[in-house]
Amino acid sequence: MLPLVCIFREIRRAAVHTHRKSRVTTLHQLVSTFNGVPAGLADADTIFALSSGHGRCGVAVVRVSGSASSMALRCMAGLKRRLPSPRTALLRSITDPHSKEILDRGLVLWFPGPHSFTGEDSVEFHIHGGPAVITAVLQALGSMPGMRPAEAGEFTRRAFQAGKLGLTEVEGLGDLIHAETEAQRRQALRQMSGDLERLYQGWSHRLKRCLAHVEAFIDFSEDELIEDGVLERVDSSVSTLLAEIERHLKDERRGERLRSGVHVVIAGATNAGKSSLLNTLCQRPAAIVSSIAGTTRDVVETGLDIGGFPVLLSDTAGLRDSTDLIEQEGVRRARERVQQADLTLVVVDSVLLPFEVQKAAGTLQENLTRVLPDLKQPDKDRCLLVLNKTDLLPEAQRQKLERELKGVSGLPPVCLISCQTHEGLQDFLSVLQSRVKTLCGDPLSDAPTLTQARHRAHLQQCVAALAQYQKLRDTDLALAAEGVRLALTSLGRITGKLGAEEILDIIFKDFCIGK
Amino acid sequence: ALIRSLQPVRTIHSLVSRCISHLSRQCYDVIVVGGGHAGTEAAAAAARMGAETLLVTQKIHTIGALSCNPSLGGVGKGHLVREVDALDGLCGRAGDWAGINFSILNRSKGPAVWGPRAQLDRQRYREFIQGELRSISRLTVLEGSVEDLLVAEPSPDEPGSHRVTGISLENVLNPITASSVVLTTGTFLSGSIFVGQTTSPGGRIGDAPSSAGLSHTLKERLGLRVGRLRTGTPPRIVKESVDFALAELHPPDRRPTPFSFMNTHTRCKEQVPCYLTYTTPGVERVVQESLHLNCHIQQDTKGPRYCPSIESRVLRFPGRSHQVWLEPEGVTSDLLYPQGLSMTMPPEMQLRLIREIPALHRAEIHSPGYGVQYDYVCPTQLSSALQVKTTQGLFLAGQINGTTGYEEAAAQGLWAGVNAACRALSTPPVSLSRTESYIGVLIDDLVCRGVTEPYRMFTSRAEFRTALRPDNADLRLTPKGYELGCVSPSRYQEAMRVQRSLQDAMAALQALTLSTARCREKLPDVRVSESKNAALTGMELLQYKELSFETLASVFPERLSSYLEFSQRLKIEAVYKPHCDINKKEIERIQKEENMFLPQDIDYFSLPASLSQEAREILDRVRPTTLGAATRLEGITPAAVVSLYNYVQFAEKKGENGQQKTTRSK
């Protein structure tokens, strides 16, 4: 059973910022989440909705789907005689069907089923984006018989039921609708066009063959002439697949990050200017700033668009030993955030650095260790050192630090900024942007990346199950085959396509079985 | 241990009647039509359930005949035999009585897929089945030809548009009535026999065709959809004309393993071997040359893909050498059965063909091979109790449902017999879940998915293969069968004894804990991994391939030696337990869904649920009885299942829609 409804719900939500654990959804869970949508909505209804985003915009698109679409088009676009040619834009006055009052002048498009997104007759009204116009058109549509506003995700659900979309395609579409940033839009487009679907289908197909061959070996081999080497071929296919899926999983959450945002955490000692940095980056006073050490106690979060990539920025409490229970909790939360972070900005008050560069480097190293106690060398690109308050330094000292700290080995990149004067902010932003970009990967190059935590969980199950095959292959083939079955089910949960009869079909295609 | 005599009991009353005038009554609880594997199990099961049962067959002499290959069991099929036996059916014990060559297939691939199999002595098998039937009280056997079914108006208390009330016999004036009729007509329903270019009506050579009235009633009066399938059988070869020196000898297992849970040994003293040989390019040539003379092969009626004729094997996979098994037909039989040489070409070409095989270069044919085409009733028209959904009191089992194989027939026959008796005795119908048995998988596949070719059981059809093993069929089914009434007290007591002993033994194994150091000291041959510091229990130790229960018991005799009788079963339980535990949740989920019943009278086309037209058409055609069955239909999307579920919940709350109409067992 597939977490289908979860997907439709997902579509309803704004781009999700928090990384949620995915799970296998059974029918019962499915049904309990489904109760939000009223039962008994017959497909006979014609639905409509504003398909472009809410809020002020140049052009708004209102979409209609269902058998009454043509009637709506005739009544509202003054097309009494005949419908426009399919899929061709036509400029019309759009009128209220009852009062005949002109509501707007815009484009209308007619998509007769089944050649439409939902597979049903559909109409699009491209109108001006003012709230008054949109409301008037939606009200006019709602006043006609057999028409009702669409439920969240209902267009997609109809498209899915009409077989127009595969499961990963639906997910890609949901993301597209909510792509808040340009890069997200590109990845969503890519997924929707089926790259990921093709990748997973390809694996699924190969796994089906593996399973079919193992099953053939179990159900037929002994006196029914299955040729030699069948299992050996399965062994090598399983190893190859395993390696490929593991490589795909090792994209280090790039796709997921692009979808739900890179987690960037600001951390460091108290009063280093962490909250000021957050406010500077999001260009609004999101966090309270004061000269009192320990002002920030809880985690303050904000979403940002950095160079087209979504970033979830968190400001945390300054790290120090405190007897204050609330502050202790704040520090604990700060440490927890740092552990989950994709990128940590370690903020240091540059005024507190010793004058000599070597000593300053030592102090920075200490700061780094305090924030990230178990930082290993290769993880250095997971953090940046931000030296704040450079406006308080003598210019010569600032230049010296900037010049000489770059050469110190063992330190992550160092940026000198002043949140007060915004000096050095541009350079810092470009460093930050290139980091974020690396973390997300370029959605248009390379192999398609993982975009959903749900996919990741199923792929991990798949890997574990294939390992079970390898482990048990020589001791108990029935149990080993169970591993391949499980692997296939896990993949099937992503792509939504799996049939038991298919296995037998492959067996009979590949082997001459005669008994 | 309880060792039941292998000799069939033939004491009590012999209720075999060759003539209608000898019948003591005109009215029975259950009538079974057909005396093959499905019919005999159905009749025996119905009588065991307490129903007055009549078995009608064309020839009493052919009851229990093995029409095709002289063997029973195999991979998947062996599972069915064990399950039929666990429900007190006949075929397992008959196999132990008649078997002359026993082996467990797949021995190296894990106990879940072991395939107990035996070559049978045809004569002995028939003797045993006939003897058993004679010994069952409440069962009468009648020789006669069924002319038609008696069809009446439906009873208003049950769904359905017709009701079957009995049968009429050829050349007999008075009909015989019954609450339930089980049809097990095999290949006889509109059967035609093909040899070369000649065709004649019939289901088996040497037997009269079945009545056209029956076929007409099913199709026209009851409106059942039927399809056509084909099968075939090889020529029988005269044993002494075979050159065995040119074939490979394949000896059976040294110690035969009985099919039946009630038997500790089999009858035959000295086993008879099988021989293996291969086809040559000459065989392919004869097939090609005879194609124009072969009616059967030119028709595109669906034949079994896994039991193909030599013609279709050669045509589909040319240029290969195919296996041919030479199987004994019995201890005293002069014949051999060439497994893999099923063919329908003219007899003279058949002789030419077999002589292209080295070991058969001077072989003589005793009787030629032939093909059969026959009608089957599309099984999606049946409920999981194997009753025709639209016809009250009519049950179908065996090849008439589109299956192939003795074991598949026996399994359906038994379950149809149980349900026919349930109906006659006014108890609710019962079904077996695919989570608990291969019989459940078989019936669920048939009634939910239907067939497009003769259906054969494979272990790959069972989702929970690691739990549905041949070794534990008694634990899975015997208690349930006893509760239903189709299992005798003695078998039930034996199953309970086994269950208790296994539980005690597993508790003792669980209580036995050893530190890794002690393991190495006491069991030096077991490669316990170094990293494991925690103590290991006996159950965990048995998961090591190299450790048998016997070895463990020899180290701890005071704790374990009393369970040596179950060594093999305990080893299997220990190895599979972790995997079965993982499956448990999924099994429970499926069972829950199988307990959500869909009303049989839903109008899917007007159902106010969010369902695509395609989904509506599928649901309307198949009419799944439960939500679980609906989820397994091809073309039913998860979204459709959710809509359906919502509707059912909604309807249930409103207390309408005849939910209660579909009566079901617990």
Side-chain angles (χ1 to χ4, degrees), chain B residues 280-428:
Chain B
T280 59
V283 168
E284 204 165 321
R285 216 167 39 240
V286 178
V287 168
Q288 294 289 357
E289 283 169 22
S290 64
L291 271 187
H292 65 289
L293 301 171
N294 201 332
C295 283
H296 191 65
I297 217 74
Q298 289 156 12
Q299 315 231 349
D300 47 35
T301 310
K302 288 270 187 171
R305 287 185 292 185
Y306 33 74
C307 185
S309 61
I310 189 65
E311 290 97 331
S312 46
R313 288 169 86 182
V314 157
L315 294 175
R316 278 182 55 215
F317 295 92
R320 286 204 205 166
S321 168
H322 301 276
Q323 280 181 327
V324 175
W325 288 90
L326 302 175
E327 303 179 347
E329 291 244 317
V331 181
T332 54
S333 170
D334 300 331
L335 303 180
L336 274 182
Y337 180 93
Q339 176 78 269
L341 283 186
S342 161
M343 61 179 91
T344 53
M345 58 187 70
E348 60 281 10
M349 299 299 274
Q350 295 192 14
L351 187 65
R352 259 189 65 195
L353 186 146
I354 63 162
R355 289 190 170 177
E356 294 289 343
I357 295 171
L360 303 178
H361 64 95
R362 53 179 169 79
E364 293 297 338
I365 289 179
H366 170 266
S367 47
Y370 59 91
V372 187
Q373 296 190 6
Y374 56 98
D375 279 354
Y376 74 100
V377 175
C378 299
T380 51
Q381 299 167 105
L382 305 179
S383 72
S384 57
L386 294 175
Q387 183 180 214
V388 176
K389 286 181 198 167
T390 55
T391 310
Q392 301 164 0
L394 180 62
F395 296 81
L396 308 179
Q399 273 169 309
I400 192 172
N401 291 340
T403 62
T404 171
Y406 304 153
E407 304 79 359
E408 287 83 353
Q412 292 171 70
L414 184 143
W415 205 245
V418 164
N419 274 293
C422 282
R423 188 185 138 80
L425 304 172
S426 304
T427 59

Side-chain angles (χ1 to χ4, degrees), chain A residues 31 215 217-219 221 476, chain B residues 106 109 459 462 465 576 645:
Chain A
V31 166
E215 297 292 9
F217 192 75
I218 288 175
D219 272 336
S221 73
D476 190 313
Chain B
N106 270 355
K109 295 174 198 162
T459 67
R465 183 163 63 188
Y576 279 83
Y645 175 79

Side-chain angles (χ1 to χ4, degrees), chain B residues 487-564:
Chain B
V487 167
S488 67
S490 61
R491 179 182 288 269
Y492 175 67
Q493 279 151 18
E494 169 63 3
M496 286 296 103
R497 183 188 75 85
V498 171
Q499 190 179 44
R500 269 193 308 273
S501 309
L502 286 175
Q503 275 166 357
D504 292 350
M506 285 196 280
L509 283 166
Q510 201 63 45
L512 180 76
T513 52
L514 286 182
S515 68
T516 30
R518 266 197 83 206
C519 277
R520 265 175 239 128
E521 175 207 328
K522 290 266 185 190
L523 303 160
D525 296 338
V526 182
R527 289 188 304 253
V528 179
S529 63
E530 296 290 328
S531 60
K532 276 219 170 110
N533 288 321
L536 288 162
T537 66
M539 283 295 270
E540 287 165 334
L541 277 169
L542 278 184
Q543 287 166 23
Y544 284 88
K545 192 186 178 184
E546 55 274 21
L547 182 65
S548 69
F549 181 82
E550 286 93 337
T551 312
L552 195 60
S554 68
V555 179
F556 301 97
E558 67 291 352
R559 295 202 198 197
L560 301 176
S561 59
S562 51
Y563 306 113
L564 276 169

